[in-house]
Amino acid sequence: MLFFKWIYLGFGLITSSHVCMSAGEIYTSLLNVKEAIAIERTLIDTLGTYIDHELERLEDLKRFHSRVSDLHNAVYNGSTTAMANPLIAFTLIKRLQSEWANLVYSNEASENTQALRSGFKALEASLPKMEDLQGAAKALMRLQDVYALQVGSLTRGRFQRAARGDPVDIYRPAVSVPLSGDDCFLVGKVAYELGDFYHSVPWLEESVRLFRGSGGAWRPENQGTLEDALDHLAFSHFKEGNVSYALSLSQELLHRDPMNGRVLQNVEKYETLLVQSTSLPVSQGVGMRRPNSTALRTRNTYERLCQTRGSQPKHYENQRLFCDYFTNGDPVLLLQPIRREVQSLQPYVVLYHNFITDKEAEDIKTLSEQGLRRSVVASGEKQEAADYRISKSAWLKDSASVLMGQMDRRIARLTGLNVRTPYGEYLQVVNYGIGGHYEPHFDHATSASSPVFKLKTGNRVATFMIYLSSVEAGGSTAFIYANFSVPVVKNAALFWWNLHRNGRGDEDTLHAGCPVLVGDKWVANKWIHEHGQEFRRRCALDPEE
């Protein structure tokens, strides 16, 4: 009974401190991933208690086994006079009539199992859903693509890409874990079920390799087996046109499972296809092509900028780019100027270093935690979640803290703009998830039906983005057409104009949040609208400017 009390007490602690975890959206925010660690700690304790109870039960079984074995070795193998002893005869009959039955049909094992299952069930609602597993698997495939990572290296816990045939470290984590054959199988299976055989093949190849290396041994925690991996890999190669290899894998599977009628039919089908046509590919899947994405038109540039940070500003080559201590003519900034680094002139993009303090950044993150929800994108007049934006966000109203007013005044001093509501939107805080990213997009509205116009203060004239954290690798802000990217700089703020002075959108501001390779990325966005800036950012004499 004490065990059940402990279980429900642990559940109460978990639910009270993790109210913001949404079912099926844990993967979209690193904050939720961190919270999931606490849940697993409770499950570890639950399993530990179960093991202790089971060990006690096994000790009882071992004691009974030892006692009966000793009787057979010392008494029943002796003289027949021992059998005539009524005490010995009675204990033998009693054991066979009741003790063995009590032992075999004891409820202790099922009670221990039931306690374990009850503890698990109490936490089940807070556990990751299938959507989370699929989202995490897609994140690994996204990182594989954008950073040109080798799947074989990922399975060893390394982030490497091939350079001149040799693996080169992109980032070497201080702590890493290798992936199992079952881990790789699940990633490959997610791609397989999406019909994405370009990604399923390398992950299932690794799964087969790792399962083979372990002798095909199955573990109770595994979902897949060597046979499953071979089955999915064979069909993936078939769909990619590699019929010869699909046949070879199917024959290996048939050797392990000779009575599998479906695989027998596949083998016959593949043999027939190879006989009928000698023009089919017989080596590596030459026709393997990556699936499309919303960033398809700019994908090559986008990925290059994420990998290499593009053509970073080189102030010694372009004298129009500069770094200085900026005051903007403001009395407060005259006393304490801020370090400004001009990143680009077209579009105009500047980085303000040390815009906020560590404590202010932590306070903003803390204020937003309870309000974090899956980030959405504009879809006509509506907003909806999309795979090309993986994060959670929260809006902090002016009343959330005096810190909000301080941020607004600081932004106004630097930009010279009116950022008070409704001319400036509430501060949006964003926490990126596993491989969190935002593919190329504009911050300003490109359609008259956009939700941006609901404030009735015009379009978003400017963006002020604050980096609330650092990341170990990845996560740069890439400006696609302008061909440069800005790495995450903790406590700094990035500012750019979204609109030309004539009110038209600046296409050079097409930008993206590169996938976070390693780290926990937090940013805060302040979007400033056209209205309220009439005398702060005047129209130019040239209507085309």
Side-chain angles (χ1 to χ4, degrees), residues 173-233:
V175 179
S176 64
V177 293
L179 299 181
S180 68
D182 192 56
D183 294 333
C184 295
F185 171 70
L186 285 172
V187 177
K189 187 168 180 279
V190 167
Y192 177 93
E193 290 175 346
L194 292 170
D196 177 7
F197 305 110
Y198 173 88
H199 287 105
S200 69
V201 166
W203 285 99
L204 291 171
E205 289 277 13
E206 286 298 313
S207 176
V208 167
R209 181 183 67 82
L210 291 167
F211 273 133
R212 282 171 178 161
S214 65
W218 180 80
R219 296 178 179 176
E221 67 268 25
N222 285 357
Q223 180 174 327
T225 63
L226 174 57
E227 289 78 5
D228 291 329
L230 286 168
D231 194 7
H232 286 74
L233 180 58

Side-chain angles (χ1 to χ4, degrees), residues 83-113:
M83 299 301 101
N85 186 326
L87 296 176
I88 294 175
F90 171 78
T91 57
L92 172 65
I93 291 170
K94 175 179 175 289
R95 277 200 314 279
L96 292 174
Q97 195 281 325
S98 64
E99 291 183 16
W100 275 96
N102 291 340
L103 195 74
V104 172
Y105 296 110
S106 169
N107 290 329
E108 189 177 7
S110 60
E111 287 172 357
N112 291 346
T113 302

Side-chain angles (χ1 to χ4, degrees), residues 95-347:
R95 277 200 314 279
L96 292 174
Q97 195 281 325
S98 64
E99 291 183 16
W100 275 96
N102 291 340
L103 195 74
V104 172
Y105 296 110
S106 169
N107 290 329
E108 189 177 7
S110 60
E111 287 172 357
N112 291 346
T113 302
Q114 183 57 42
L116 176 66
R117 289 175 178 170
S118 296
F120 179 82
K121 192 171 182 63
L123 296 169
E124 197 166 12
S126 299
L127 298 179
K129 308 303 182 209
M130 179 53 69
E131 181 187 342
D132 288 302
L133 181 60
Q134 292 172 341
K138 290 177 184 177
L140 292 180
M141 291 182 263
R142 183 184 313 125
L143 295 173
Q144 169 195 346
D145 286 347
V146 174
Y147 295 105
L149 301 177
Q150 294 181 318
V151 175
S153 297
L154 289 173
T155 63
R156 298 191 299 274
R158 304 283 293 274
F159 298 94
Q160 297 178 320
R161 76 165 65 104
R164 298 178 182 176
D166 298 319
V168 175
D169 282 324
I170 302 304
Y171 175 76
R172 181 173 292 184
V175 179
S176 64
V177 293
L179 299 181
S180 68
D182 192 56
D183 294 333
C184 295
F185 171 70
L186 285 172
V187 177
K189 187 168 180 279
V190 167
Y192 177 93
E193 290 175 346
L194 292 170
D196 177 7
F197 305 110
Y198 173 88
H199 287 105
S200 69
V201 166
W203 285 99
L204 291 171
E205 289 277 13
E206 286 298 313
S207 176
V208 167
R209 181 183 67 82
L210 291 167
F211 273 133
R212 282 171 178 161
S214 65
W218 180 80
R219 296 178 179 176
E221 67 268 25
N222 285 357
Q223 180 174 327
T225 63
L226 174 57
E227 289 78 5
D228 291 329
L230 286 168
D231 194 7
H232 286 74
L233 180 58
F235 189 74
S236 295
H237 275 295
F238 166 68
K239 293 296 289 185
E240 289 295 328
N242 197 340
V243 181
S244 178
Y245 195 30
L247 173 61
S248 174
L249 292 166
S250 297
Q251 288 171 333
E252 179 182 350
L253 175 56
L254 200 59
H255 179 73
R256 301 183 65 88
D257 186 10
M259 303 306 294
N260 192 319
R262 181 177 55 79
V263 178
L264 272 169
Q265 290 179 347
N266 285 346
V267 167
E268 292 175 1
K269 176 181 178 180
Y270 299 154
E271 288 176 338
T272 301
L273 286 172
L274 288 173
V275 169
Q276 289 176 347
S277 175
T278 58
S279 62
L280 287 171
V282 294
S283 57
Q284 71 273 14
V286 177
M288 292 174 67
R289 284 208 264 171
R290 281 174 58 181
N292 293 343
S293 77
T294 55
L296 182 62
R297 287 188 306 154
T298 60
R299 184 161 66 187
N300 291 341
T301 303
Y302 164 57
E303 293 180 355
R304 176 176 55 78
L305 290 170
C306 290
Q307 291 172 20
T308 65
R309 296 182 182 173
S311 55
Q312 290 298 300
K314 297 178 180 179
H315 299 88
Y316 61 89
E317 291 182 357
N318 186 347
Q319 294 181 358
R320 297 181 66 197
L321 298 179
F322 59 90
C323 302
D324 66 357
Y325 282 93
F326 183 63
T327 66
N328 202 26
D330 184 89
V332 174
L333 290 175
L334 283 170
L335 294 173
Q336 190 174 2
I338 194 165
R339 289 169 55 206
R340 177 178 65 167
E341 183 179 351
V342 179
Q343 302 285 312
S344 169
L345 295 174
Q346 180 51 43

